[in-house]
Amino acid sequence: MGINLVLCAGCLRLLGAAGVGLSGEARPWAKWTGVVLFVLLWVPVGAAQLPIVAYVRGISSDLSITLVVLACLGLGRRLLGLRAIGQRERNALFAVIAVAAMFLYPLALGWGDWDAYRLGWGAPGMWAALLVLSLVCWLRGLRLLPVLVAMALLAWTAGLLESSNLWDYLMDPWLSVAALVYCAKAAILKLLKLSGRGRPGAVS
């Protein structure tokens, strides 16, 4: 179900980027497009007669709760006209995910003597870090990240995914790549803006 929702959200986003009109307010035919995509992904295909989403899961494995919730928020905006995630919330979320990805995956791949992935098996230090991060964000008026952490912890406690490691509920490689690309793009745009201000005759 999570993979299906993420694929639907991704397809609708691509249609919006192509200028089809799904990125603005909700439209009746856009809702039908989402419904059709959702149903088609469950249609059995191939010799094994497995739904399309099952083949995707064989490649991607389960997606993180964070990515699924973000996909649901995106679907809500495009299909129901809900308010989009604020720029400040988005910047904070992707910055934290990008930093966590640069911390987790190199160590998990053996680039050091310590495996950070082991923290996800229930280390108190990781719980404390998540608590401090959530409190800091909440006090600064950032609500999205603490809510996503809480939902991931609830799903981990309930064992909703195949994995029993908390990291897999908080983030996944697909979300990490998206966060790194987002942060790199934001950094480049900021540098270009600063360089433009520093040129002689530039308008302040």
Side-chain angles (χ1 to χ4, degrees):
M1 180 65 72
I3 294 174
N4 196 325
L5 292 171
V6 171
L7 290 177
C8 288
C11 289
L12 292 181
R13 183 178 179 87
L14 289 176
L15 289 176
V20 180
L22 296 176
S23 58
E25 62 181 12
R27 303 187 182 186
W29 68 270
K31 298 180 181 181
W32 285 110
T33 302
V35 171
V36 171
L37 286 172
F38 185 83
V39 173
L40 286 178
L41 289 171
W42 289 112
V43 175
V45 295
Q49 286 297 295
L50 293 173
I52 299 174
V53 70
Y55 293 99
V56 177
R57 185 176 183 270
I59 299 173
S60 67
S61 187
D62 289 327
L63 301 178
S64 64
I65 299 299
T66 302
L67 181 55
V68 174
V69 173
L70 291 176
C72 291
L73 292 175
L75 288 173
R77 180 170 70 90
R78 289 178 171 82
L79 302 181
L80 303 177
L82 301 179
R83 187 175 63 179
I85 299 174
Q87 187 69 32
R88 185 165 171 262
E89 294 271 14
R90 188 183 297 110
N91 290 343
L93 174 64
F94 283 126
V96 169
I97 294 175
V99 171
M102 291 187 292
F103 165 74
L104 171 64
Y105 292 113
L107 293 175
L109 291 173
W111 290 12
D113 297 331
W114 180 63
D115 184 6
Y117 189 74
R118 290 184 298 178
L119 294 174
W121 299 113
M126 184 171 182
W127 297 344
L130 290 174
L131 176 60
V132 171
L133 177 62
S134 298
L135 288 176
V136 170
C137 290
W138 193 272
L139 292 175
R140 295 181 64 87
L142 300 170
R143 303 291 187 259
L144 179 60
L145 194 146
V147 169
L148 291 173
V149 169
M151 296 186 71
L153 284 170
L154 288 174
W156 177 66
T157 303
L160 295 184
L161 301 183
E162 184 178 1
S163 173
S164 58
N165 192 292
L166 181 56
W167 280 114
D168 296 322
Y169 289 77
L170 292 168
M171 54 191 291
D172 56 68
W174 308 100
L175 179 61
S176 300
V177 170
L180 290 169
V181 171
Y182 180 91
C183 292
K185 180 181 177 181
I188 292 173
L189 291 176
K190 187 172 183 179
L191 289 175
L192 291 176
K193 185 177 180 180
L194 292 175
S195 62
R197 289 181 177 178
R199 293 176 183 173
V203 179
S204 60

Short mmCIF file of all heavy atoms in Angstrom, two decimals, residues 196-199 201-204:
data_model
loop_
_atom_site.label_atom_id
_atom_site.label_comp_id
_atom_site.label_asym_id
_atom_site.label_seq_id
_atom_site.Cartn_x
_atom_site.Cartn_y
_atom_site.Cartn_z
N GLY A 196 25.52 36.76 -7.45
CA GLY A 196 24.86 37.81 -8.21
C GLY A 196 24.81 39.12 -7.46
O GLY A 196 24.96 40.20 -8.02
N ARG A 197 24.62 39.04 -6.15
CA ARG A 197 24.62 40.26 -5.32
C ARG A 197 25.99 40.89 -5.23
O ARG A 197 26.13 42.10 -5.09
CB ARG A 197 24.12 39.93 -3.92
CG ARG A 197 22.62 39.62 -3.84
CD ARG A 197 22.23 39.34 -2.40
NE ARG A 197 20.79 39.10 -2.29
CZ ARG A 197 20.18 38.80 -1.15
NH1 ARG A 197 20.89 38.71 -0.04
NH2 ARG A 197 18.87 38.61 -1.12
N GLY A 198 27.02 40.03 -5.30
CA GLY A 198 28.36 40.55 -5.15
C GLY A 198 28.94 41.18 -6.40
O GLY A 198 30.01 41.79 -6.36
N ARG A 199 28.28 41.02 -7.55
CA ARG A 199 28.79 41.61 -8.78
C ARG A 199 28.60 43.12 -8.78
O ARG A 199 27.63 43.63 -8.26
CB ARG A 199 28.05 41.00 -9.98
CG ARG A 199 28.35 39.54 -10.19
CD ARG A 199 27.51 38.99 -11.31
NE ARG A 199 27.71 37.57 -11.50
CZ ARG A 199 27.01 36.81 -12.32
NH1 ARG A 199 26.03 37.37 -13.05
NH2 ARG A 199 27.25 35.53 -12.42
N GLY A 201 27.39 46.61 -9.73
CA GLY A 201 26.17 47.07 -10.39
C GLY A 201 24.97 46.20 -10.16
O GLY A 201 23.92 46.43 -10.74
N ALA A 202 25.11 45.14 -9.32
CA ALA A 202 23.99 44.26 -9.08
C ALA A 202 22.95 44.98 -8.23
O ALA A 202 23.28 45.76 -7.35
CB ALA A 202 24.45 43.00 -8.34
N VAL A 203 21.69 44.70 -8.51
CA VAL A 203 20.59 45.33 -7.78
C VAL A 203 20.44 44.65 -6.45
O VAL A 203 20.32 43.42 -6.39
CB VAL A 203 19.29 45.26 -8.59
CG1 VAL A 203 18.16 45.90 -7.80
CG2 VAL A 203 19.46 45.96 -9.92
N SER A 204 20.44 45.40 -5.36
CA SER A 204 20.32 44.82 -4.03
C SER A 204 18.87 44.51 -3.74
O SER A 204 17.98 45.10 -4.32
CB SER A 204 20.89 45.77 -2.99
OG SER A 204 20.18 47.00 -3.04
#
